[in-house]
Amino acid sequence: MAAGVLVANVALAQMPTMELSAGIHLIRAEVAHTFETRAQGLMFRRSLGPNEGMFFVFPQAETHCMWMKNTLIPLSVAFIDEKGRIVSISEMRPQTETPHCAVDRAKFALEMSGGWFAAKGIKAGARILGLEKAPAAR
C-alpha cells in the first residue's frame, strides 16, 4: 500500500495547474489531461484547500462518468461542456465505485471538495471561465 501512495504522490506532483473561475470564485486546479492522470484523479488525497480542485480534460465531448475508487475525501463533480457551461453536478462519497455520469455531453469535469458548488450557489447552467488555457487531452 505504501508504494501505491508513493506512486500517487509522484503522479500528483507532476500535474500542471491552472486558474479557473466560477462567478466571483477563483479556483486553483490541477489538470488531468492524459489517460494516466485522468485515471489517477484525486485518489489517495487526504485533503483539498478551500478553492482547490482537479480539472479533467477529455479527448472528446461525451457523457463521461466518474467514480471514487481509492478516493479518501468526499467530492463534488461538475461536468462542463465545450463552451464552459456546467451540464450537471454530482456529490460523490469516498471509496465507492458508484458511477456519477454527466446528464449531457461534457468535454471537461471539475472536482472540488464535497458540497463546494452548493455552498457557493453554483448550479447547472453556470459558466466556468478559463477553459481556453487548458492543455489538449492526450
Side-chain angles (χ1 to χ4, degrees), residues 106-120:
K107 174 79 172 158
F108 310 100
L110 176 60
E111 288 182 340
M112 301 293 287
S113 294
W116 188 90
F117 295 99
K120 307 291 188 222

Side-chain angles (χ1 to χ4, degrees), residues 44-59:
F44 307 108
R45 186 70 61 94
R46 297 202 179 274
S47 65
L48 278 175
N51 290 316
E52 293 180 350
M54 181 161 289
F55 185 63
F56 294 81
V57 182
F58 299 107

Side-chain angles (χ1 to χ4, degrees), residues 71-87:
T71 305
L72 307 175
I73 55 177
L75 297 173
S76 296
V77 60
F79 293 98
I80 305 163
D81 71 13
E82 292 175 295
K83 295 181 181 178
R85 184 182 63 87
I86 296 174
V87 299

Side-chain angles (χ1 to χ4, degrees), residues 30-45:
E30 294 178 64
V31 182
H33 68 289
T34 66
F35 176 81
E36 294 79 14
T37 58
R38 285 189 301 271
Q40 178 69 44
L42 288 168
M43 285 183 184
F44 307 108
R45 186 70 61 94

Side-chain angles (χ1 to χ4, degrees), residues 20-33:
L20 300 168
S21 64
I24 63 168
H25 306 286
L26 295 177
I27 300 162
R28 182 182 168 276
E30 294 178 64
V31 182
H33 68 289

